[in-house]
Amino acid sequence: MNSLLLNPSMMSESETIFDVLNIDLNNINRALNLLDREIFDDEVKRVLFKQKEKEVFVFDKIEIQKLEVTHQTKIYLKQTKCKSVLFNLKTLMDKLCDLYGKDDFSRNKFSLNDLLDLFHGNIITRSWQNATYPVELTFLKGNTIELVIHLN
């Protein structure tokens, strides 16, 4: 399987979610190639993503997973126990709205309604499924932001 994700020369600045998050596509391609070469007994292949040169937005744990049965590949990004978690959530949600527009439920940037949803429950969820790289953003009460990017 060819793991090459994108040709970086075909993109302009801030054109994809990877530009927004400061993720180097060459590093993702290396991780995907590693997943293709490795043999795992599990149904899900996993590799931790590391990028030394620059920070991956606000996330402290990045994992690439490939489901062997369906060959679906996803990037899981997680931020836990950050003091400025609501600011980071707002910034990320606003950046996603700038990139993709309104979410699947026609909600726009972070608003008072999001805070009310969090106050009355334990979770805020947003998704943009009709995009080149569909994403799901989840905030769990307890200061965890999780972003899932679907590569295929």
Side-chain angles (χ1 to χ4, degrees):
M1 178 180 133
N2 185 0
S3 293
L4 189 61
L5 190 60
L6 278 180
N7 181 350
S9 64
M10 295 171 54
M11 298 175 4
S12 64
E13 277 299 304
S14 299
E15 190 174 12
T16 70
I17 185 69
F18 304 109
D19 297 311
V20 170
L21 299 175
N22 296 324
I23 295 176
D24 184 350
L25 290 174
N26 291 324
N27 290 342
I28 292 177
N29 287 329
R30 280 189 215 105
L32 291 172
N33 283 329
L34 177 67
L35 281 180
D36 284 343
R37 287 195 309 266
E38 295 296 321
I39 298 171
F40 294 87
D41 293 333
D42 201 357
E43 291 181 6
V44 179
K45 292 182 178 182
R46 293 179 174 88
V47 64
L48 288 176
F49 179 86
K50 294 181 181 176
Q51 182 166 279
K52 295 178 183 176
E53 293 82 28
K54 50 189 174 180
E55 185 177 307
V56 179
F57 196 61
V58 299
F59 298 101
D60 50 21
K61 181 180 179 188
I62 299 103
E63 183 177 278
I64 299 177
Q65 293 184 4
K66 182 176 180 183
L67 187 60
E68 283 301 289
V69 176
T70 61
H71 299 287
Q72 290 180 319
T73 308
K74 299 177 185 178
I75 302 175
Y76 289 85
L77 302 102
K78 191 178 265 190
Q79 178 202 48
T80 56
K81 299 180 183 169
C82 175
K83 292 181 182 178
S84 58
V85 70
L86 282 177
F87 176 76
N88 290 343
L89 176 66
K90 180 198 178 317
T91 303
L92 179 59
M93 196 176 293
D94 290 352
K95 284 180 179 276
L96 289 170
C97 286
D98 288 341
L99 180 65
Y100 292 126
K102 292 182 179 182
D103 71 4
D104 294 344
F105 297 103
S106 297
R107 293 176 292 188
N108 211 341
K109 295 183 177 186
F110 190 83
S111 68
L112 179 60
N113 286 337
D114 292 303
L115 284 177
L116 291 173
D117 287 347
L118 187 58
F119 180 75
H120 293 292
N122 292 322
I123 191 168
I124 296 174
T125 303
R126 295 283 193 96
S127 69
W128 290 263
Q129 295 300 316
N130 295 321
T132 303
Y133 299 106
V135 297
E136 298 162 10
L137 174 65
T138 306
F139 175 71
L140 302 170
K141 202 181 250 185
N143 299 341
T144 300
I145 299 173
E146 186 173 271
L147 181 70
V148 178
I149 304 170
H150 300 262
L151 297 181
N152 54 5

